[in-house]
Amino acid sequence: MNIVIGCDHAGFAIKTAVIEHIKEKGYNCIDVGTNSEDSCHYPVYAHAACEKILSGECQLGILICGTGIGMSIAANKHDGIRAACCSDTFSARLTREHNDANILCFGERVVGVGLALDLVDAFLGAEYLNSGNHVTRVEMISEIEKNCFAAN
Ligand code: RB5
């Protein structure tokens, strides 16, 4: 599985640890930057990561900024992206199982490296349940996207 990972300056330190961790777990990791702690703009990296998923090159993504919030807002502006900002492992697992989230976001200023790696494990280790009301609701989200993006 190809995992795309991106961050801004406020997520750079933890991104390095996450990349090492997921490579050890056997995932292929595509890093879209940023590559230093120099101040930058998180929407650039959110967009780069979303493009990798929407093109089919990557199946899931991880985006890290100071809070995880800016990254999730930017990512969710893309049709077909369901980005979840999580700081607990229960949500990180459930957002795969119930929401079919394709990007996990979190904040380096919110979680420590230990929790960050657990969030990643919970997210990557879970699968979309793909049945019943979960499907209905994810389809409803897609319908909203279709209508909203068509209107613009
Ligand atoms: C950068 O200072 C910070 O605003 C950014 O990393 C992120 O937390 C925004 O949501």
Side-chain angles (χ1 to χ4, degrees):
M1 190 189 283
N2 290 339
I3 310 295
V4 60
I5 186 161
C7 68
D8 70 356
H9 55 286
F12 175 67
I14 242 171
K15 185 187 73 169
T16 308
V18 171
I19 289 173
E20 194 180 320
H21 180 73
I22 61 178
K23 280 185 173 168
E24 271 171 20
K25 296 249 164 187
Y27 295 101
N28 197 27
C29 185
I30 288 147
D31 181 2
V32 294
T34 190
N35 294 311
S36 78
E37 291 183 355
D38 295 344
S39 183
C40 64
H41 303 305
Y42 57 81
V44 170
Y45 304 96
H47 182 57
C50 290
E51 283 191 316
K52 295 281 181 197
I53 293 179
L54 295 173
S55 71
E57 185 179 341
C58 295
Q59 290 71 53
L60 295 174
I62 299 166
L63 287 170
I64 312 160
C65 59
T67 59
I69 296 170
M71 282 293 197
S72 60
I73 292 172
N76 280 318
K77 298 298 177 194
H78 296 78
D79 189 356
I81 294 296
R82 289 172 300 280
C85 184
C86 300
S87 51
D88 68 274
T89 55
F90 179 76
S91 300
R93 175 170 64 83
L94 266 285
T95 199
R96 282 290 300 129
E97 292 182 354
H98 289 197
N99 314 126
D100 196 18
N102 45 16
I103 296 188
L104 170 70
C105 304
F106 53 83
E108 181 177 305
R109 295 172 181 164
V110 180
V111 304
V113 68
L115 179 53
L117 301 185
D118 281 357
L119 292 171
V120 167
D121 287 347
F123 184 77
L124 298 182
E127 273 185 29
Y128 178 42
L129 293 175
N130 203 8
S131 65
N133 276 334
H134 302 308
V135 172
T136 305
R137 293 161 188 155
V138 172
E139 283 175 357
M140 288 170 75
I141 294 170
S142 301
E143 196 62 27
I144 293 170
E145 280 176 335
K146 220 185 295 163
N147 294 334
C148 290
F149 284 107
N152 293 313

